[in-house]
Amino acid sequence: MTPPIHELTDRARDVFRIVVDQYLDSGAPVGSRTISKISGLNLSPASIRNVMQDLEELGLLAAPHTSAGRMPTETGLRLFVDAMMQASEPSPEERAAIEAGAGAVERGPVEEALANTTAALSGLSACAGLVLVPKREPVLRQFGFVPLGPDRALAVLVGEDGSVENRVVELPPGMDSSAVQQAANYLSATLGGHTLSEARARIERDLRSQRAALDSAAQALVAQGLAVWSEDTGHRPVLIVRGQARLIDATAAEDLDRVRQLLDELEGKEEIARLLDSAREGEATRIFIGSENKLFALSGSSVIAKPVRAIDGRVVGVVGVIGPTRLNYARVVPMVDFTAATLARLLA
């Protein structure tokens, strides 16, 4: 359990803050001699060692291996983040880079803008960037079937934004090529200019009222095509991960096993999606440090995540980063906040 900050003396708070700041900056344990050289503290190395020993007994610092230096524990980092961190706003250059990525929506599909924004956040934070959004239904332009054999065909949807999606559908027994073409022509005429859900509602009404000029085989294929798309579109989220290579920094050589573990964990897209989804509730940025989340407990990594909210308060996505526990929280948290605000305008 993290001790309340008010239980620490002023001296202990000062030493603890310096240890954390120095560790987050260098990634190396911090010794008493280093702290004693910092102006304004006016403490001897012996006094500093005593304070560090007290902080270690409280579970806030630890001495790795046989090093004389100390580094913050996960409990210590939690105390620092919750009670001592002084966040710094993103610079104009950082804001411009994030907004430039989001601006790609004017030049292509929204997924491209999301990927570019996530890549910009990754580059600025030196972490892997993550974004989770609901699957967006494009306005549809064209529909077609490509025969794959006597009993199967590839259904192809083309969106107004240039996106293309494919599904394999089963053909009704004995269906000939003319009936397949009839079904494709009807779907293209009905789908054009509508989202899939809008077109589906119209098609289902037409089939129920017998207004669709289709024979029974073509009607069966239309219904089958709609059923296949209904099974895995709409609510399935889109997860974009960018910048995994940034996790292999200059200090990674000292801890290759941790980095390998983290890269393996990032392959579990469904688990990452569930983790990010857990950050949807509440207004504040969520910070998961090390073993506080089971997914990244083995690699000892931290996740910073923020829900993306539309003007009406709806959560339309989650954006975040993942990196080592020693990442620069004071700089990265506001960066994630700004990215969430930028994506809110994009996804509203």
Side-chain angles (χ1 to χ4, degrees), residues 119-138:
L121 176 60
S122 169
L124 294 170
S125 64
C127 299
L130 313 167
V131 65
L132 178 73
V133 295
K135 188 172 180 63
R136 292 169 67 91
E137 286 192 288

PDB file of all heavy atoms in Angstrom, residues 119-138:
ATOM      1  N   ALA A 119       1.391   7.442 -34.741  1.00  0.00           N
ATOM      2  CA  ALA A 119       2.826   7.429 -35.026  1.00  0.00           C
ATOM      3  C   ALA A 119       3.495   8.707 -34.519  1.00  0.00           C
ATOM      4  O   ALA A 119       4.610   8.666 -33.993  1.00  0.00           O
ATOM      5  CB  ALA A 119       3.057   7.277 -36.530  1.00  0.00           C
ATOM      6  N   ALA A 120       2.805   9.842 -34.657  1.00  0.00           N
ATOM      7  CA  ALA A 120       3.365  11.102 -34.154  1.00  0.00           C
ATOM      8  C   ALA A 120       3.506  11.064 -32.635  1.00  0.00           C
ATOM      9  O   ALA A 120       4.538  11.473 -32.078  1.00  0.00           O
ATOM     10  CB  ALA A 120       2.474  12.273 -34.570  1.00  0.00           C
ATOM     11  N   LEU A 121       2.486  10.550 -31.946  1.00  0.00           N
ATOM     12  CA  LEU A 121       2.546  10.436 -30.495  1.00  0.00           C
ATOM     13  C   LEU A 121       3.673   9.499 -30.078  1.00  0.00           C
ATOM     14  O   LEU A 121       4.398   9.778 -29.110  1.00  0.00           O
ATOM     15  CB  LEU A 121       1.207   9.921 -29.959  1.00  0.00           C
ATOM     16  CG  LEU A 121       1.123   9.660 -28.456  1.00  0.00           C
ATOM     17  CD1 LEU A 121       1.390  10.930 -27.663  1.00  0.00           C
ATOM     18  CD2 LEU A 121      -0.247   9.082 -28.091  1.00  0.00           C
ATOM     19  N   SER A 122       3.841   8.406 -30.815  1.00  0.00           N
ATOM     20  CA  SER A 122       4.925   7.469 -30.514  1.00  0.00           C
ATOM     21  C   SER A 122       6.286   8.150 -30.639  1.00  0.00           C
ATOM     22  O   SER A 122       7.147   8.013 -29.767  1.00  0.00           O
ATOM     23  CB  SER A 122       4.855   6.271 -31.467  1.00  0.00           C
ATOM     24  OG  SER A 122       6.022   5.487 -31.380  1.00  0.00           O
ATOM     25  N   GLY A 123       6.474   8.893 -31.719  1.00  0.00           N
ATOM     26  CA  GLY A 123       7.760   9.542 -31.929  1.00  0.00           C
ATOM     27  C   GLY A 123       8.079  10.579 -30.874  1.00  0.00           C
ATOM     28  O   GLY A 123       9.220  10.694 -30.414  1.00  0.00           O
ATOM     29  N   LEU A 124       7.076  11.330 -30.445  1.00  0.00           N
ATOM     30  CA  LEU A 124       7.296  12.396 -29.466  1.00  0.00           C
ATOM     31  C   LEU A 124       7.520  11.849 -28.060  1.00  0.00           C
ATOM     32  O   LEU A 124       8.257  12.426 -27.265  1.00  0.00           O
ATOM     33  CB  LEU A 124       6.108  13.355 -29.465  1.00  0.00           C
ATOM     34  CG  LEU A 124       5.898  14.164 -30.753  1.00  0.00           C
ATOM     35  CD1 LEU A 124       4.561  14.878 -30.711  1.00  0.00           C
ATOM     36  CD2 LEU A 124       7.030  15.155 -30.961  1.00  0.00           C
ATOM     37  N   SER A 125       6.871  10.732 -27.746  1.00  0.00           N
ATOM     38  CA  SER A 125       6.953  10.182 -26.388  1.00  0.00           C
ATOM     39  C   SER A 125       8.043   9.134 -26.238  1.00  0.00           C
ATOM     40  O   SER A 125       8.363   8.722 -25.117  1.00  0.00           O
ATOM     41  CB  SER A 125       5.611   9.553 -26.002  1.00  0.00           C
ATOM     42  OG  SER A 125       5.314   8.437 -26.832  1.00  0.00           O
ATOM     43  N   ALA A 126       8.626   8.675 -27.360  1.00  0.00           N
ATOM     44  CA  ALA A 126       9.602   7.581 -27.366  1.00  0.00           C
ATOM     45  C   ALA A 126       9.004   6.301 -26.802  1.00  0.00           C
ATOM     46  O   ALA A 126       9.696   5.477 -26.215  1.00  0.00           O
ATOM     47  CB  ALA A 126      10.864   7.961 -26.598  1.00  0.00           C
ATOM     48  N   CYS A 127       7.702   6.135 -26.977  1.00  0.00           N
ATOM     49  CA  CYS A 127       6.983   4.937 -26.552  1.00  0.00           C
ATOM     50  C   CYS A 127       6.266   4.354 -27.769  1.00  0.00           C
ATOM     51  O   CYS A 127       6.314   4.919 -28.857  1.00  0.00           O
ATOM     52  CB  CYS A 127       5.949   5.276 -25.471  1.00  0.00           C
ATOM     53  SG  CYS A 127       6.637   5.975 -23.960  1.00  0.00           S
ATOM     54  N   ALA A 128       5.603   3.229 -27.585  1.00  0.00           N
ATOM     55  CA  ALA A 128       4.696   2.738 -28.611  1.00  0.00           C
ATOM     56  C   ALA A 128       3.366   3.456 -28.435  1.00  0.00           C
ATOM     57  O   ALA A 128       2.867   3.584 -27.315  1.00  0.00           O
ATOM     58  CB  ALA A 128       4.509   1.228 -28.482  1.00  0.00           C
ATOM     59  N   GLY A 129       2.807   3.953 -29.528  1.00  0.00           N
ATOM     60  CA  GLY A 129       1.523   4.653 -29.466  1.00  0.00           C
ATOM     61  C   GLY A 129       0.379   3.701 -29.733  1.00  0.00           C
ATOM     62  O   GLY A 129       0.487   2.782 -30.552  1.00  0.00           O
ATOM     63  N   LEU A 130      -0.740   3.903 -29.034  1.00  0.00           N
ATOM     64  CA  LEU A 130      -1.900   3.026 -29.147  1.00  0.00           C
ATOM     65  C   LEU A 130      -3.151   3.875 -29.331  1.00  0.00           C
ATOM     66  O   LEU A 130      -3.300   4.926 -28.701  1.00  0.00           O
ATOM     67  CB  LEU A 130      -2.081   2.183 -27.879  1.00  0.00           C
ATOM     68  CG  LEU A 130      -0.863   1.474 -27.286  1.00  0.00           C
ATOM     69  CD1 LEU A 130      -1.186   0.967 -25.881  1.00  0.00           C
ATOM     70  CD2 LEU A 130      -0.453   0.307 -28.178  1.00  0.00           C
ATOM     71  N   VAL A 131      -4.076   3.414 -30.176  1.00  0.00           N
ATOM     72  CA  VAL A 131      -5.386   4.049 -30.252  1.00  0.00           C
ATOM     73  C   VAL A 131      -6.417   2.962 -30.523  1.00  0.00           C
ATOM     74  O   VAL A 131      -6.185   2.043 -31.310  1.00  0.00           O
ATOM     75  CB  VAL A 131      -5.436   5.153 -31.335  1.00  0.00           C
ATOM     76  CG1 VAL A 131      -5.255   4.572 -32.725  1.00  0.00           C
ATOM     77  CG2 VAL A 131      -6.738   5.932 -31.253  1.00  0.00           C
ATOM     78  N   LEU A 132      -7.523   3.053 -29.815  1.00  0.00           N
ATOM     79  CA  LEU A 132      -8.624   2.093 -29.942  1.00  0.00           C
ATOM     80  C   LEU A 132      -9.889   2.882 -30.241  1.00  0.00           C
ATOM     81  O   LEU A 132     -10.263   3.775 -29.483  1.00  0.00           O
ATOM     82  CB  LEU A 132      -8.795   1.296 -28.643  1.00  0.00           C
ATOM     83  CG  LEU A 132      -9.944   0.275 -28.613  1.00  0.00           C
ATOM     84  CD1 LEU A 132      -9.600  -0.939 -29.473  1.00  0.00           C
ATOM     85  CD2 LEU A 132     -10.237  -0.168 -27.181  1.00  0.00           C
ATOM     86  N   VAL A 133     -10.526   2.576 -31.371  1.00  0.00           N
ATOM     87  CA  VAL A 133     -11.761   3.274 -31.740  1.00  0.00           C
ATOM     88  C   VAL A 133     -12.764   2.255 -32.253  1.00  0.00           C
ATOM     89  O   VAL A 133     -12.388   1.173 -32.727  1.00  0.00           O
ATOM     90  CB  VAL A 133     -11.510   4.338 -32.839  1.00  0.00           C
ATOM     91  CG1 VAL A 133     -10.619   5.453 -32.324  1.00  0.00           C
ATOM     92  CG2 VAL A 133     -10.914   3.709 -34.088  1.00  0.00           C
ATOM     93  N   PRO A 134     -14.066   2.574 -32.160  1.00  0.00           N
ATOM     94  CA  PRO A 134     -15.057   1.677 -32.759  1.00  0.00           C
ATOM     95  C   PRO A 134     -14.855   1.619 -34.265  1.00  0.00           C
ATOM     96  O   PRO A 134     -14.384   2.568 -34.886  1.00  0.00           O
ATOM     97  CB  PRO A 134     -16.400   2.357 -32.407  1.00  0.00           C
ATOM     98  CG  PRO A 134     -16.086   3.306 -31.299  1.00  0.00           C
ATOM     99  CD  PRO A 134     -14.674   3.739 -31.508  1.00  0.00           C
ATOM    100  N   LYS A 135     -15.221   0.506 -34.835  1.00  0.00           N
ATOM    101  CA  LYS A 135     -15.117   0.372 -36.292  1.00  0.00           C
ATOM    102  C   LYS A 135     -16.085   1.345 -36.947  1.00  0.00           C
ATOM    103  O   LYS A 135     -17.262   1.387 -36.613  1.00  0.00           O
ATOM    104  CB  LYS A 135     -15.429  -1.057 -36.720  1.00  0.00           C
ATOM    105  CG  LYS A 135     -15.162  -1.306 -38.195  1.00  0.00           C
ATOM    106  CD  LYS A 135     -15.303  -2.769 -38.520  1.00  0.00           C
ATOM    107  CE  LYS A 135     -15.034  -3.021 -40.000  1.00  0.00           C
ATOM    108  NZ  LYS A 135     -13.670  -2.682 -40.377  1.00  0.00           N
ATOM    109  N   ARG A 136     -15.573   2.184 -37.845  1.00  0.00           N
ATOM    110  CA  ARG A 136     -16.406   3.164 -38.531  1.00  0.00           C
ATOM    111  C   ARG A 136     -16.940   2.551 -39.823  1.00  0.00           C
ATOM    112  O   ARG A 136     -16.232   1.889 -40.561  1.00  0.00           O
ATOM    113  CB  ARG A 136     -15.589   4.421 -38.844  1.00  0.00           C
ATOM    114  CG  ARG A 136     -15.201   5.195 -37.603  1.00  0.00           C
ATOM    115  CD  ARG A 136     -14.184   6.261 -37.942  1.00  0.00           C
ATOM    116  NE  ARG A 136     -14.727   7.302 -38.787  1.00  0.00           N
ATOM    117  CZ  ARG A 136     -15.290   8.418 -38.329  1.00  0.00           C
ATOM    118  NH1 ARG A 136     -15.386   8.621 -37.029  1.00  0.00           N
ATOM    119  NH2 ARG A 136     -15.754   9.345 -39.149  1.00  0.00           N
ATOM    120  N   GLU A 137     -18.238   2.808 -40.073  1.00  0.00           N
ATOM    121  CA  GLU A 137     -18.846   2.302 -41.301  1.00  0.00           C
ATOM    122  C   GLU A 137     -18.667   3.336 -42.408  1.00  0.00           C
ATOM    123  O   GLU A 137     -19.191   4.448 -42.316  1.00  0.00           O
ATOM    124  CB  GLU A 137     -20.330   2.040 -41.079  1.00  0.00           C
ATOM    125  CG  GLU A 137     -20.623   0.809 -40.250  1.00  0.00           C
ATOM    126  CD  GLU A 137     -22.098   0.455 -40.316  1.00  0.00           C
ATOM    127  OE1 GLU A 137     -22.900   1.179 -39.721  1.00  0.00           O
ATOM    128  OE2 GLU A 137     -22.433  -0.540 -40.982  1.00  0.00           O
ATOM    129  N   PRO A 138     -17.936   2.994 -43.453  1.00  0.00           N
ATOM    130  CA  PRO A 138     -17.790   3.963 -44.541  1.00  0.00           C
ATOM    131  C   PRO A 138     -19.063   4.064 -45.368  1.00  0.00           C
ATOM    132  O   PRO A 138     -19.893   3.151 -45.372  1.00  0.00           O
ATOM    133  CB  PRO A 138     -16.658   3.348 -45.379  1.00  0.00           C
ATOM    134  CG  PRO A 138     -16.793   1.868 -45.157  1.00  0.00           C
ATOM    135  CD  PRO A 138     -17.231   1.741 -43.711  1.00  0.00           C
TER     136      PRO A 138
END
